[in-house]
């Protein structure tokens, strides 16, 4: 007991081997706690990352918000998606540590990295440490040039023309790359002021308005195929897309660029826009991470993105249905064949090395293109279907209205109305066979037909009950007359029999005139026979 009360004395009393064992056990326990406690704390507190995602109306921001929702639902990682000025702004935030994740155009990243490397070489500085690391390819951005006037037929025709585009971000840099390749020098940019400086707050939306209001001859966008704002502009018959050619030649200076195509009818199927497949340029939209972000965190984010693409697509806002198909194009970066990509993040490498890519991942570009085109075709077919169904519905409504009107008993005899109802049914069935009305409309008509039929049947049944009641009452009257004859003076049997026969004749005439039913007539005959037999016996 004394030893327990004084631990130091107890420790001093034990043998050396036991002391060494206790010390080793204590050190091992402390080391284990040091390793476990941060993980336990992280498990319960989670990790919070900032994602710089570009313009709020852009596809990269919309997809980033969907990724944020799914990642937070599937893990304890918190992501805060921020609106920014585009790729260049995103890269600056990644470099300064304001953001941990960022979306960016691959061609702009390449240009920024090359500029930094060349600058260091000129100043005889060591190779710079690049903070950006690639995580996934989100989708392909296409260079899209929208024009109004027929005299602009090629990109080079933009010389001395006004272009609607914000003078900031990766989109603007991409335009400058193309303009430089075609040696265009005399251009007016709506996003620049009179001093040639970017106008603060000038956005894609304002550029759209300038183009719509004819303050610009053309509008340039780096956006995914099916972009909502471009689609809205192209609904105007005077507006069209132009090809941007020589993508392979541009890859010499800008290796991140790729050849691409805008399919015929991609934005409008009836009077298609474009009228034929248009060559253009594509640049991958990447999800980047800072090299300072924990490897395990990025591995977990990468895993969640690839294993939950359907949930990410479902998390995309219903206001942006054109963005959903882009989620299917999320793919593993191919840094070997895409020299414009920054190196992979160690966390992304850890995920890709442990899982073999699926068929969809290996062929994501083709699947995405097929899904996009399919979605556009489906949208076009739905519009036609809506128009056809509208016509079908109008004809079906006429049949429904004619059926319901027949419930009105002021329109004539119930049998006539039943005949008209059957004729309406036959006409509707013929319209269904000839596909003038849809099956759904016919089912609706059928419900109205059944309701009217039941109403007419109830009316018929009620009428029949009234008739039968009157027949029974009339038969009872005659039966009463016969039975009352038994109370007369039976001395003159012949006279009474004549009265009975007269009543029989009258009842027979009522039977012929349907004023008495056969059943009531049989009941009367029974009373007739009974009465006559009684008279004969007396």
């Amino acid at each position: 007991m004394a030893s327990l009360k004084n631990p130091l004395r107890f420790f001093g009393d034990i043998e050396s081997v036991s002391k060494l064992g206790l010390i080793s056990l204590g050190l091992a326990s402390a080391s284990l706690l040091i390793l476990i406690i941060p993980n336990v704390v992280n498990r319960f507190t989670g990790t919070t990352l900032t994602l710089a995602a570009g313009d709020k109306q852009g596809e990269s921001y919309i997809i980033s918000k969907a990724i944020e929702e799914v990642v937070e639902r599937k893990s304890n990682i918190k992501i805060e998606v921020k609106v920014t000025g585009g790729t260049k702004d995103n890269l600056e935030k990644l470099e300064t540590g304001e953001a941990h994740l960022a979306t960016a155009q691959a061609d702009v990243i390449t240009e920024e990295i090359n500029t930094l490397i060349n600058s260091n070489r000129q100043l005889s500085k060591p190779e710079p440490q690049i903070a950006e690391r690639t995580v996934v390819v989100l989708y392909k951005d296409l260079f899209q040039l929208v024009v109004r006037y027929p005299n602009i037929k090629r990109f080079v025709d933009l010389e001395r023309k006004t272009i609607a585009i914000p003078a900031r971000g990766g989109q603007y840099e991409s335009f400058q790359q193309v303009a430089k390749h075609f040696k265009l020098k005399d251009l007016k940019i709506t996003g620049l002021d009179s001093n040639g400086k970017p106008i603060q707050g000038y956005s894609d939306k304002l550029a759209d308005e300038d183009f719509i209001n004819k303050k610009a001859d053309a509008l340039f966008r780096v956006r995914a195929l099916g972009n909502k704002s471009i689609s809205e502009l192209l609904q105007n018959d005077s507006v069209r897309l132009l090809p941007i050619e020589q993508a392979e030649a541009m890859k010499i200076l800008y290796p991140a660029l790729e050849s691409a195509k805008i399919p015929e009818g991609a934005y409008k199927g009836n009077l298609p826009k474009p009228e034929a497949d248009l060559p253009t340029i594509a640049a991958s939209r990447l999800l980047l991470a800072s090299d300072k972000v924990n490897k395990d965190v990025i591995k977990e984010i990468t895993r969640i993105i690839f294993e939950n693409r359907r949930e990410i697509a479902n998390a995309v806002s219903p206001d942006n249905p054109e963005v959903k198909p882009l989620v299917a194009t999320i793919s593993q970066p191919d840094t070997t064949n895409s020299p414009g990509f920054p190196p992979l993040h160690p966390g992304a490498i850890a995920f890709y090395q442990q899982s073999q890519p699926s068929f969809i991942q290996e062929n994501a570009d083709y699947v995405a293109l097929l899904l996009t085109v399919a979605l556009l075709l489906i949208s076009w077919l739905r519009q036609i279907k809506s128009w056809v169904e509208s016509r079908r519905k109008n004809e079906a409504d006429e049949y429904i209205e004619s059926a319901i009107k027949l419930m009105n008993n002021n329109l004539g005899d119930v049998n006539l109305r039943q005949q008209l109802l059957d004729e309406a049914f036959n006409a509707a069935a013929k319209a269904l066979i000839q596909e003038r009305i849809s099956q759904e409309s016919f089912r609706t008509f059928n419900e109205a037909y059944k309701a009217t039929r039941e109403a007419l049947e109830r009316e018929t049944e009620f009428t029949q009950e009234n008739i039968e009641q009157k027949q029974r009452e009339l038969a009872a009257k005659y039966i009463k007359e016969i039975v009352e004859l038994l109370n007369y003076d039976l001395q003159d049997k012949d006279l009474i029999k004549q009265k009975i026969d007269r009543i029989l004749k009258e009842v027979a005439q009522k039977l012929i005139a349907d004023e008495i039913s056969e059943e009531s007539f049989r009941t009367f005959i029974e009373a007739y026979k009974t009465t006559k037999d009684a008279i004969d016996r007396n």
Side-chain angles (χ1 to χ4, degrees):
M1 289 295 292
S3 297
L4 291 174
K5 291 179 181 179
N6 192 341
L8 293 176
R9 181 178 176 183
F10 168 76
F11 187 76
D13 290 341
I14 63 174
E15 58 185 29
S16 300
V17 175
S18 298
K19 285 181 182 179
L20 182 61
L22 286 172
I23 292 171
S24 300
L25 181 62
L27 290 173
S29 300
S31 300
L32 186 62
L33 287 172
I34 290 171
L35 291 172
I36 290 175
I37 286 174
N39 289 332
V40 171
V41 171
N42 185 58
R43 176 72 178 172
F44 287 97
T45 60
T47 301
T48 301
L49 303 176
T50 300
L51 196 167
D55 186 83
K56 196 168 187 178
Q57 305 302 320
E59 290 87 353
S60 60
Y61 180 88
I62 295 166
I63 291 179
S64 295
K65 289 296 291 181
I67 290 174
E68 171 193 21
E69 179 180 328
V70 175
V71 168
E72 291 186 354
R73 192 189 316 142
K74 298 286 183 179
S75 70
N76 64 336
I77 301 169
K78 304 295 181 185
I79 296 178
E80 186 178 357
V81 178
K82 292 284 189 181
V83 177
T84 63
T87 295
K88 197 166 183 179
D89 189 17
N90 295 350
L91 296 176
E92 289 176 359
K93 284 179 167 51
L94 212 57
E95 288 281 352
T96 59
E98 292 181 60
H100 308 92
L101 302 166
T103 61
Q105 289 175 219
D107 59 320
V108 179
I109 301 169
T110 306
E111 188 70 9
E112 291 289 322
I113 292 174
N114 289 341
T115 300
L116 184 59
I117 291 173
N118 293 334
S119 175
N120 280 24
R121 285 175 180 171
Q122 290 175 2
L123 298 173
S124 300
K125 291 183 178 180
E127 290 291 316
Q129 295 295 318
I130 307 301
E132 298 87 358
R133 293 290 182 268
T134 305
V135 179
V136 300
V137 176
L138 293 174
Y139 57 89
K140 299 288 185 184
D141 269 327
L142 299 186
F143 291 16
Q144 303 185 57
L145 181 62
V146 182
V147 299
R148 176 182 287 106
Y149 302 111
N151 61 329
I152 304 176
K153 299 178 180 178
R154 299 175 301 164
F155 196 93
V156 292
D157 293 334
L158 295 180
E159 186 75 26
R160 293 184 295 278
K161 298 294 189 297
T162 302
I163 317 301
I165 182 175
R168 59 181 176 80
Q171 183 172 247
Y172 183 58
E173 290 196 13
S174 297
F175 176 78
Q176 288 181 312
Q177 291 171 7
V178 181
K180 182 178 179 182
H181 175 79
F182 287 106
K183 301 188 184 308
L184 301 184
K185 298 179 180 178
D186 188 4
L187 295 169
K188 183 179 179 182
I189 306 300
T190 57
L192 294 174
D193 61 19
S194 57
N195 296 320
K197 294 182 179 180
I199 300 173
Q200 293 296 322
Y202 190 83
S203 62
D204 285 353
K205 186 177 180 181
L206 292 175
D208 288 345
E209 291 176 2
D210 281 343
F211 180 76
I212 292 169
N213 295 326
K214 299 183 180 182
K215 294 180 181 179
D217 304 293
L219 178 138
F220 182 83
R221 286 284 182 276
V222 181
R223 290 288 182 267
L225 189 64
N227 178 263
K228 188 175 182 179
S229 64
I230 295 176
S231 178
E232 290 173 354
L233 291 174
L234 289 171
Q235 299 312 304
N236 187 324
D237 291 337
S238 65
V239 175
R240 69 190 194 284
L241 284 164
L242 280 192
I244 304 177
E245 300 171 327
Q246 304 183 23
E248 293 299 321
M250 292 185 210
K251 287 184 70 171
I252 298 171
L253 286 178
Y254 310 107
L257 298 181
E258 306 172 37
S259 297
K261 188 184 294 183
I262 302 176
E264 177 186 353
Y267 284 100
K268 193 176 180 183
N270 188 8
L271 299 175
K273 287 192 179 181
E275 295 179 356
D277 293 351
L278 291 186
T280 189
I281 301 165
S284 294
R285 178 73 64 162
L286 305 178
L287 176 63
L288 305 177
S290 168
D291 58 356
K292 296 179 176 61
V293 180
N294 184 278
K295 167 185 172 181
D296 293 333
V297 172
I298 296 302
K299 180 182 177 182
E300 179 67 2
I301 291 174
T302 310
R303 181 192 68 77
I304 292 172
I305 290 173
F306 275 92
E307 292 181 1
N308 299 275
R309 277 179 285 189
R310 179 177 294 180
E311 290 192 35
I312 293 172
N314 292 335
V316 171
S317 170
D319 296 332
N320 304 102
E322 75 283 357
V323 179
K324 286 182 181 288
L326 298 182
V327 178
T329 69
I330 293 176
S331 59
Q332 177 179 341
D334 184 359
T335 53
T336 304
N337 298 318
S338 301
F341 290 5
L344 287 173
H345 193 283
I349 293 173
F351 171 77
Y352 295 133
Q353 286 179 344
Q354 76 178 19
S355 59
Q356 291 294 326
S358 66
F359 173 81
I360 291 179
Q361 291 171 349
E362 289 180 339
N363 301 277
D365 291 345
Y366 301 105
V367 174
L369 183 60
L370 288 173
L371 285 174
T372 304
V373 174
L375 185 66
L376 293 169
L377 287 174
I378 289 170
S379 177
W380 177 56
L381 290 172
R382 279 181 176 175
Q383 288 181 351
I384 295 177
K385 182 182 177 184
S386 176
W387 176 73
V388 172
E389 286 182 350
S390 177
R391 295 188 61 186
R392 289 176 171 180
K393 184 178 182 300
N394 290 337
E395 185 172 351
D397 288 346
E398 291 177 5
Y399 291 122
I400 293 168
E401 186 178 357
S402 66
I404 298 233
K405 277 183 179 178
L406 292 173
M407 289 185 184
N408 189 346
N409 54 17
N410 294 326
L411 295 178
D413 180 67
V414 66
N415 294 325
L416 174 62
R417 284 183 280 144
Q418 284 181 335
Q419 182 181 345
L420 293 174
L421 180 64
D422 290 337
E423 289 176 1
F425 182 87
N426 292 334
K430 187 180 291 184
L432 174 65
I433 294 169
Q434 295 174 353
E435 297 186 351
R436 298 201 314 273
I437 65 174
S438 66
Q439 291 185 2
E440 184 180 354
S441 295
F442 183 79
R443 284 194 292 270
T444 305
F445 164 77
N446 196 39
E447 292 299 322
Y449 168 81
K450 287 179 181 178
T452 304
R453 187 82 188 180
E454 289 172 1
L456 293 178
E457 287 174 354
R458 286 193 301 271
E459 186 178 341
T460 302
E461 184 179 347
F462 179 75
T463 303
Q464 187 62 32
E465 285 178 356
N466 286 340
I467 292 172
E468 290 176 357
Q469 179 65 27
K470 289 179 180 178
Q471 289 176 341
R472 286 192 297 271
E473 290 175 356
L474 185 58
K477 171 178 167 292
Y478 286 116
I479 291 170
K480 183 179 179 182
E481 286 182 11
I482 287 178
V483 172
E484 285 178 350
L485 289 174
L486 292 174
N487 298 325
Y488 288 8
D489 185 2
L490 298 181
Q491 296 302 319
D492 192 352
K493 292 182 180 182
D494 292 335
L495 181 59
I496 295 173
K497 285 181 180 181
Q498 286 177 6
K499 288 184 179 181
I500 292 175
D501 291 340
R502 179 180 56 76
I503 294 172
L504 174 61
K505 183 179 179 180
E506 189 174 340
V507 170
Q509 289 173 346
K510 297 292 184 183
L511 173 65
I512 294 169
D514 287 333
E515 293 182 28
I516 290 180
S517 67
E518 291 181 1
E519 183 180 355
S520 297
F521 182 75
R522 284 194 294 270
T523 304
F524 170 79
I525 291 297
E526 291 297 327
Y528 169 80
K529 289 179 179 180
T530 303
T531 303
K532 194 170 184 181
D533 290 344
I535 293 170
D536 289 337
R537 284 194 302 271
N538 293 331

